């Protein structure tokens, strides 16, 4: 665990590290995770082993007896208005205070063939939309490999 301010408004996972608001926790093999809305600075995660854990704002990891229903729910976002013609929407998550955060990749042009990367010079970014009609400027995600939000 290390202290590090999160440049994004949501928790995210890449390269075996879970990025929370003020800490980064090394947590290999996270399958899925979701914000713990009882404490918006914490998350609940399911590991590939099937174990469910809660990671609090200080980076402490503890087992959870029962996974929240939201862990397996797939959110249905409104249309995204803040992306360009070569941006492909990869994932969307609701924000605790309302609105949505969207992970986009500008290196992909074939959304139906998500595994096909057209260019390694593109970027992944998060677009925050506080309302359905307004979106902020994209924030680039600096990480290799797969990036996931929640």
């Amino acid at each position: 665990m290390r202290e590090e301010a999160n440049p994004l408004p949501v928790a995210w996972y890449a390269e075996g590290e879970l990025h929370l608001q003020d800490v980064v926790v090394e947590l290999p093999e996270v399958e899925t995770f979701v914000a713990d809305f009882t404490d918006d600075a914490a998350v609940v995660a399911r590991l590939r082993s099937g174990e469910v854990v809660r990671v609090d704002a200080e980076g402490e990891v503890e087992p959870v007896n029962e996974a929240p229903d939201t862990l397996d729910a797939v959110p249905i976002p409104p249309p995204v208005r803040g992306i360009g013609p070569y941006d492909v929407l990869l994932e969307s998550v609701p924000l605790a205070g309302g609105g949505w955060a969207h992970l986009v990749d500008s290196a992909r042009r074939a959304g139906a063939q998500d595994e096909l990367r057209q260019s390694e010079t593109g970027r992944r970014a998060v677009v925050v939309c506080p309302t359905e009609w307004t979106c902020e400027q994209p924030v680039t995600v600096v990480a290799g490999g797969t990036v996931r939000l929640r």
Side-chain angles (χ1 to χ4, degrees), residues 85-88 90 105-124:
Y86 295 115
D87 291 333
V88 174
L90 300 178
D105 190 332
S106 65
R108 298 174 185 192
R109 294 183 185 207
Q113 300 171 350
D114 189 45
E115 70 281 353
L116 180 63
R117 186 175 280 280
Q118 298 292 329
S119 167
E120 293 298 330
T121 61
R123 71 173 183 153
R124 281 174 291 184

Side-chain angles (χ1 to χ4, degrees), residues 78-97:
V80 183
R81 302 186 193 312
I83 63 175
Y86 295 115
D87 291 333
V88 174
L89 180 64
L90 300 178
E91 184 177 19
S92 298
V93 296
L95 298 173

